[in-house]
Amino acid sequence: MKLRKHILVLAGFIFSTLHSFSQIVTVSDEVTRELIPNAVITSMLPAPNIRLIAVTTNVKGEADISTLAGADSLYVRHSIYGTQGFTMEEIKNNDFKIFLHEKSFTLEEVVFSASKSEEKKSDVPYTITVVTDKDVAFGNPQTSADMLMNTGGVFVQKSQMGGGSPVLRGFEANKVLFVVDGVRMNNAIYRGGHTQDAITVDPNMLERTEVLYGPSSVIYGSDALGGTMHFYSRRPILTADTGLRVVSNAMLRSSSANNELTAHFDFNLGGGKWASLTSITRSDYGDLRQGANGNPFYGGFGWCNVYVEQVEGRDTVIRNNDPLIQRHTAYSQLDVTQKILYQQNARVSHLVNFQTSTSSDIPRYDRYAQLDANGIPVYAIWNYGPQNRKLLSYTLNLKADSTFYDEANFIVSFQNIEQDRIIRRLNSSNLKSQMEDVYVFAINADMRKVVAEKHELRYGIELTTNLVKSAATNTNITTAEVTPTDTRYPDGGSMMSTNAIYFSHSWEINQKLILTDGIRLSYISLKSEWADTSIFHLPFTEVSQTNLAPSGSVGLAYLPWKKFRMHANVSTGFRAPNVDDLGKIFESSAGILIVPNPELKPEVAIGGEAGVAWTIAPGAQVEFVGFYTMLNNAIVTKDFKFNGQDSIFYDGAMSKIQASQNVDKAFVYGFTTGMTADFSTHFSFRGTVTYTYGRYNDIENDTLIPLDHIPPVFGQAGLVYHTRGFEAEFFSRFNGWKRLIDYSPSGEDNLNQATQYGMPAWATINFRAQYHINKYIGVNFAVENIMDLNYRHFASGMSAPGRNFIIAVKAHF
């Protein structure tokens, strides 16, 4: 009995001794309560053992601070949260739990997109906006296009609810570049008009998104004229312990303006070397309701008074009982992601990434809303067919202190994109279907090497091949007879290939001045063939061209003192004509037909920006960036003669002929200014405004013509409140006037969708909040467009949502 008593006493003594020498703290986000890995906890031990001690939190947000037991206070540093201090008394009173509040800005934030490797944002001589997964969770966007619009610095155009075309510094569509997980999304049929490809990226799976502004062709190649949007989806998570780590997330969201119902679920299975991440998101959207309160001078603007449905097999024009409901905007979408990670050892990892996005038919609302002279709808059907995107990639990451690299990243990828158009005019028995299939094969290799104490070299290659197949049929809906018809792209097939090599270099001249420079050489070839020219009687059956395109950049980041940062850069970008530029035949807007122009040349951008960021007070920073881009051989859509004719009878109507053409020069300039301020530990402010101006030189008429896609002044400003487990924001989103004189004559700005005064200015008032009941359950609530304003984004073919109540329930376990 005595022996048992002694054993118990000894065990208790050992446990208390271990507990006194091993103290675990947990670091979490103040609002979301999510655990924070890779946070560095430091402290200076007092005399006589004066020395700096540091520990780092693991994947569970935990760290052993027993080595810091003699310290009076601790400092926690993280790239997102900056550095925050706590006394040991505070930590003990809070049961050794540390909560970090995210700052409006931090000089320690890191970015990846500028050079495809990790860098401090303050060292990069470019303007970059970072959207984190917490921003996505708080903003609660329906699509990735909406997520970009939530930044306040990206303008987004919509011609249908299943769309969203981002504009960066006056450049849109195929003049801006989309990249997802290191693989470029832009393909050979990315068009010059508005695109909807951004919605095929699931925002619920994004870990971070970086928007890199300005020409960035040195790193990313063709199309990066206005900037690059790089989407980084979440990676599978390994466990630092033995056993299997299971982490799951679920979300259910509903929105009133379009009767949205979205469900998301993902789960991570992680071991010591293997991990799997699976995600499924399903969204169903009903017809969109626009706002009721419009300007009395253009009352009824955008109202949907009539729409078409088939009744007993006949097209029937129906008067809309509620003209605020934009009929033919509903659609659904399914997104699936599967990733598998194998961490072979500390220096070698393998990642397989599969993504697929598919939709129902997506109605193009601006065409459904098109009326003839008698106020009757022109189309009974105008849909984008199921929009499908598939991505399969394999990534090999190597870390080694070798002669050629410290880190190397190799990506082999395959994409398949399907984009169809299904069109039938009112009371016509002819249903026209145009089917486009694109197959993209790519190899990317990117290396990073520190070649001297203050010099870092990054270099790589890119090999890409696009195969395009285009087919079209007419189906008689009465007899079911199917006949061939004109295709949007060459029916004999097209191939576009790119081979490129690049070098980029950064030099830390001293602690205050960092130089970044780079060069890229790209070789692009394109070939398209028409098998049948009987419909348009083309004067050629084949188009082919090759282009050698050099690009360069140089920039400086200067930090004269801790609270002030300056940067400037000059860079070039290019965009080689693709299949859409050279070979398309389509009706861009009512009465305008676009035809091929095989004489196109690459457009080259020379751009620069200069900016300052000044911390005017603790926690308060103002920024200003001015930018200018000059385009040589700019590709714009202008009137054109085809077989000697300036008009042609097409799809039942006489249409003016236009084509993509090179103009001598074009230019875009403007500025972005913003302010972020933490008034206290609970209140902060953030706001941004962007102004853009763009023209091209019409040499024949010796005049300046407005460029396509130049948005009016726009921005966003909001006041944020955050405390333990809760965050809320009141914010306003606004656009200035787009006057008639500033509209492009090409038709790409959709002047027919504006009022007689152009596109009026507007400003909305909005509220959103999130409350985390505990670390497992959270609720998001928002009211957008509180005043139920009737408004429309410039160049958009549909009105924006009216008053919109949004609620989402989220679970993490």
Side-chain angles (χ1 to χ4, degrees), residues 311-349:
V311 178
E312 296 180 353
R314 297 181 61 183
D315 290 342
T316 305
V317 179
I318 300 174
R319 182 156 297 278
N320 195 357
N321 292 328
D322 185 353
L324 298 181
I325 302 297
Q326 300 174 96
R327 305 291 179 179
H328 299 301
T329 51
Y331 78 103
S332 61
Q333 184 167 322
L334 176 66
D335 298 297
V336 178
T337 300
Q338 175 63 61
K339 290 187 173 185
I340 298 175
L341 172 66
Y342 172 48
Q343 188 72 45
Q344 184 174 335
N345 52 52
R347 295 192 169 194
V348 181
S349 69

Side-chain angles (χ1 to χ4, degrees), residues 215-218 221 224-225 550-552 571-575 603-607 631:
S216 43
S217 288
V218 167
L225 300 182
S551 302
S571 57
T572 65
F574 73 94
R575 194 181 74 80
E603 50 188 343
V604 178
I606 302 175
L631 274 172

Side-chain angles (χ1 to χ4, degrees), residues 9 16 352 387 520 569 589 630 716 793:
V9 171
S16 62
V352 176
Q387 179 167 280
R520 181 188 186 99
N569 69 69
S589 59
M630 182 177 67
Q716 185 171 300
H793 291 260

Side-chain angles (χ1 to χ4, degrees), residues 433-566:
S433 301
Q434 293 179 313
M435 292 79 73
E436 326 298 343
D437 289 275
V438 185
Y439 305 91
V440 187
F441 306 86
I443 298 174
N444 292 80
D446 302 288
M447 272 71 73
R448 178 180 62 86
K449 176 66 180 177
V450 177
V451 294
E453 182 180 355
K454 296 184 177 182
H455 294 266
E456 185 171 280
L457 179 66
R458 296 169 289 269
Y459 60 98
I461 61 170
E462 179 183 35
L463 308 174
T464 305
T465 297
N466 286 247
L467 302 178
V468 181
K469 293 184 178 181
S470 190
T473 60
N474 281 331
T475 302
N476 188 304
I477 62 174
T478 303
T479 65
E481 180 185 3
V482 178
T483 57
T485 187
D486 57 296
T487 57
R488 178 181 174 92
Y489 301 117
D491 59 342
S494 302
M495 184 174 72
M496 184 175 182
S497 298
T498 299
N499 304 306
I501 184 171
Y502 78 90
F503 294 88
S504 177
H505 160 257
S506 62
W507 175 22
E508 186 179 346
I509 300 173
N510 54 50
Q511 292 183 343
K512 297 181 177 181
L513 186 63
I514 297 96
L515 170 72
T516 302
D517 54 70
I519 189 170
R520 181 188 186 99
L521 188 64
S522 300
Y523 177 80
I524 306 102
S525 63
L526 184 152
K527 184 177 181 179
S528 296
E529 295 182 349
W530 282 266
D532 182 1
T533 61
S534 62
I535 296 176
F536 285 105
H537 305 290
L538 297 174
F540 43 79
T541 60
E542 178 182 302
V543 170
S544 63
Q545 63 173 228
T546 59
N547 293 291
L548 189 64
S551 302
S553 66
V554 61
L556 286 170
Y558 179 48
L559 293 84
W561 62 90
K562 188 175 181 180
K563 297 181 179 181
F564 194 82
R565 176 182 177 272
M566 304 170 62

